[in-house]
Amino acid sequence: IVAVLLCLVVHEVCHGLAAYWLGDPTAKQSHRLSLNPIHHLDPFGLLMMVVVGFGWAKPVPVDPRYFRRPKQGMALTALAGPVSNFLLALVLLFAGRLVYDYAPYSAANQRLLTFLLTTAILSLGLGLFNLIPIPPLDGSKVLFSLLPDRAYNTMLRYERYGMLLLWAVVLLGVGDRWMSAAIQWTYELFCRVVGF
């Protein structure tokens, strides 16, 4: 639970920070730049996480009217979440390497190492999953930003139906093998980057 909350909170806070740096104060005004998990929990998303193993946090509010270039601002704000998960995974793996290399072996240190590595895998999984270009995931906002304005506006109108498609994909297990392979490959790459 602590690992999942850490990954979700970092992800959502970084969406808010990116939007704030691009000129949108909405997340700050909504107290969503906080690391307090209570500010980010969606009760139904939390319930679904416990019941079916797939849930979500409360999306950070973003108002693209504050951005000088709304499409690009939305894309950068969307990318901030997955990128933060990849950076968090690198930090966790580096900390895991330090524990492995320098901490004397004990049950407590073994639990700490397991926590760090497990959280790194969860963070990578969350980052990669959010890059899938199905609304409301972050990858869709990046993909939409590449479309001409007319197509972009059309896609935004139908974005709410993406959640149904996403539920179908998750519940039917479509792409599970590819996602697992992507997580494994990225995890091994990041382990090599930190020398672990």
Side-chain angles (χ1 to χ4, degrees):
I1 290 171
V2 171
V4 169
L5 287 176
L6 176 63
C7 297
L8 287 175
V9 168
V10 166
H11 183 99
E12 294 302 329
V13 167
C14 286
H15 280 315
L17 286 172
Y20 183 69
W21 290 332
L22 291 168
D24 177 12
T26 311
K28 183 175 184 181
Q29 292 167 350
S30 303
H31 307 289
R32 297 298 303 281
L33 301 185
S34 168
L35 292 174
N36 183 344
I38 293 171
H39 292 286
H40 302 283
L41 289 181
D42 178 295
F44 188 65
L46 181 62
L47 177 67
M48 295 307 291
M49 196 178 305
V50 172
V51 174
V52 299
F54 172 74
W56 54 89
K58 200 173 6 173
V60 168
V62 175
D63 187 345
R65 292 175 297 181
Y66 285 104
F67 301 146
R68 275 199 316 248
R69 300 171 66 195
K71 281 180 12 180
Q72 291 77 8
M74 284 302 294
L76 289 172
T77 299
L79 272 176
V83 167
S84 71
N85 287 122
F86 299 144
L87 293 175
L88 176 61
L90 280 171
V91 168
L92 292 165
L93 288 171
F94 183 73
R97 179 182 174 201
L98 293 177
V99 170
Y100 183 81
D101 286 347
Y102 300 109
Y105 180 80
S106 69
N109 285 339
Q110 184 60 43
R111 281 194 296 275
L112 174 60
L113 180 60
T114 301
F115 173 78
L116 293 169
L117 300 183
T118 302
T119 308
I121 292 170
L122 286 171
S123 194
L124 285 174
L126 180 61
L128 290 169
F129 180 76
N130 268 278
L131 287 176
I132 296 172
I134 298 175
L137 298 178
D138 300 324
S140 69
K141 292 172 180 63
V142 175
L143 179 64
F144 290 177
S145 73
L146 303 174
L147 300 174
D149 288 345
R150 188 172 176 184
Y152 177 77
N153 292 327
T154 300
M155 293 304 288
L156 289 180
R157 278 200 302 275
Y158 294 104
E159 187 176 31
R160 65 181 172 268
Y161 300 113
M163 194 63 170
L164 297 174
L165 175 61
L166 184 60
W167 270 105
V169 166
V170 169
L171 294 176
L172 295 174
V174 176
D176 280 359
R177 199 169 354 142
W178 295 326
M179 182 57 67
S180 294
I183 293 169
Q184 181 67 34
W185 182 85
T186 309
Y187 180 72
E188 290 173 3
L189 173 66
F190 280 26
C191 282
R192 285 197 295 272
V193 167
V194 300
F196 188 40

